[in-house]
Amino acid sequence: MSIFEFSQAELQQIVTIARQAGDAIMAVYAQTDLQVEVKQDDSPVTAADIASHNVIVNGLARDFSDIAIMSEEDANIDWATRKNWQTYWLIDPLDGTKEFIKRNGEFTVNIALIHQGKAIAGVVYAPVLDKCYYGILGEGAWLAHQGQVENLDISQRIIQSIPVVVGSRSHISPDVAEYLDTVGEHQMLSVGSSLKFCMVAEGQADVYPRLGLTSEWDTAAAQAVLEAAGGLVMEYPALTPLQYNQKENILNPYFIAASAAWFERK
């Protein structure tokens, strides 16, 4: 499969699955007694994570039965098997579980299609915000919100004299703080989950520096959207493209997500 063989009609199938997963999440979100468990890696998990996972996996298995699936909630796939995958789905059923628990609405459903190490298509759906971002590399990116669809294109974006930086709702790491010193005067925005990428794709922010730990399922769908909108996601400090399924460890290196203009600035 190449990026040209994944159509916009197929992308809409993924949008539908993501919205169905969002409905499953919201059914749990509405409950007054939210049960939270802690996984082996000390990250939280709720019934919403599992409900969303089941909806997505069943939908993908039904509509794309020939493509392998890796989910945060079912990630115990042997490297000897996974390293041979040319094409697979990489999903985070509920990105921003901490934001979900806080009930601030800043959580998303992330579904990405990976081909030969690249995130070539992705859907990021924020059910509380009623925002669905989706894109195909080389085809374009879009935002569906309140019944309207907007084309996302930051390929011609110009960086302002005081750039807008988006970062984690939870914390700013020491390495990010050091990076921001090199940026100089800037405006800082904070938001949870993969919505940080999406703010760059929308043109609401210039750069998202993530100089801290993330897993591959945290970033893939939003990277596909941002790059389809004309942005870049580059490892830092190497400034090489962030790729997937290249090693047994599923942790990402540090990276910078921004418009192309950000990397060209002096």
Side-chain angles (χ1 to χ4, degrees):
M1 178 181 291
S2 72
I3 62 173
F4 304 107
E5 292 173 337
F6 191 74
S7 68
Q8 292 189 34
E10 289 172 312
L11 184 63
Q12 287 300 321
Q13 290 178 264
I14 306 307
V15 168
T16 297
I17 292 171
R19 289 185 178 277
Q20 291 169 345
D23 290 343
I25 290 171
M26 293 306 293
V28 179
Y29 197 62
Q31 298 174 7
T32 56
D33 185 20
L34 185 62
Q35 300 296 316
V36 181
E37 298 181 7
V38 179
K39 295 189 288 189
Q40 288 185 343
D41 63 358
D42 290 330
S43 64
V45 63
T46 70
D49 296 77
I50 305 305
S52 177
H53 165 85
N54 290 335
V55 168
I56 296 169
V57 169
N58 291 338
L60 293 176
R62 179 192 64 231
D63 296 343
F64 302 93
S65 59
D66 58 332
I67 302 178
I69 301 171
M70 184 175 184
S71 167
E72 178 180 8
E73 304 310 330
D74 186 16
N76 294 323
I77 300 168
D78 188 81
W79 171 238
T81 298
R82 181 166 56 86
K83 69 181 180 181
N84 295 316
W85 289 355
Q86 291 295 298
T87 308
Y88 69 103
W89 297 107
L90 180 57
I91 64 178
D92 189 341
L94 203 174
D95 183 35
T97 300
K98 292 179 181 178
E99 315 305 333
F100 175 87
I101 294 167
K102 294 175 185 175
R103 298 184 183 274
N104 66 15
E106 296 175 356
F107 53 85
T108 59
V109 176
N110 296 350
I111 307 176
L113 181 61
I114 309 298
H115 178 67
Q116 295 180 349
K118 292 182 67 67
I120 65 168
V123 175
V124 176
Y125 177 48
V128 172
L129 306 178
D130 185 32
K131 285 189 169 186
C132 188
Y133 303 84
Y134 52 100
I136 303 176
L137 203 60
E139 296 270 343
W142 302 269
L143 165 60
H145 179 51
Q146 296 181 341
Q148 303 295 316
V149 177
E150 172 189 354
N151 180 56
L152 301 178
D153 184 356
I154 59 169
S155 60
Q156 304 302 314
R157 182 171 177 81
I158 298 173
I159 306 301
Q160 303 303 309
S161 57
I162 301 178
V164 178
V165 180
V166 65
S168 172
R169 172 69 76 193
S170 303
H171 66 281
I172 297 294
S173 72
D175 288 329
V176 170
E178 183 177 338
Y179 178 80
L180 293 177
D181 286 341
T182 70
V183 171
E185 185 178 3
H186 62 277
Q187 178 185 355
M188 189 74 197
L189 301 177
S190 296
V191 69
S193 72
S194 58
L195 289 169
K196 293 180 281 292
F197 288 90
C198 297
M199 291 181 71
V200 178
E202 275 191 86
Q204 294 185 11
D206 293 296
V207 60
Y208 164 36
R210 183 57 186 241
L211 311 185
L213 292 180
T214 57
S215 295
E216 294 188 357
W217 47 68
D218 293 319
T219 59
Q223 178 177 355
V225 170
L226 176 56
E227 293 187 340
L232 296 169
V233 181
M234 308 292 279
E235 293 185 15
Y236 182 82
L239 297 184
T240 54
L242 182 65
Q243 292 194 302
Y244 295 88
N245 204 39
Q246 303 299 296
K247 59 190 188 311
E248 183 172 4
N249 186 336
I250 50 79
L251 293 177
N252 288 319
Y254 287 2
F255 63 83
I256 306 291
S259 63
W262 181 263
F263 295 101
E264 295 167 358
R265 83 193 201 290
K266 301 301 182 182

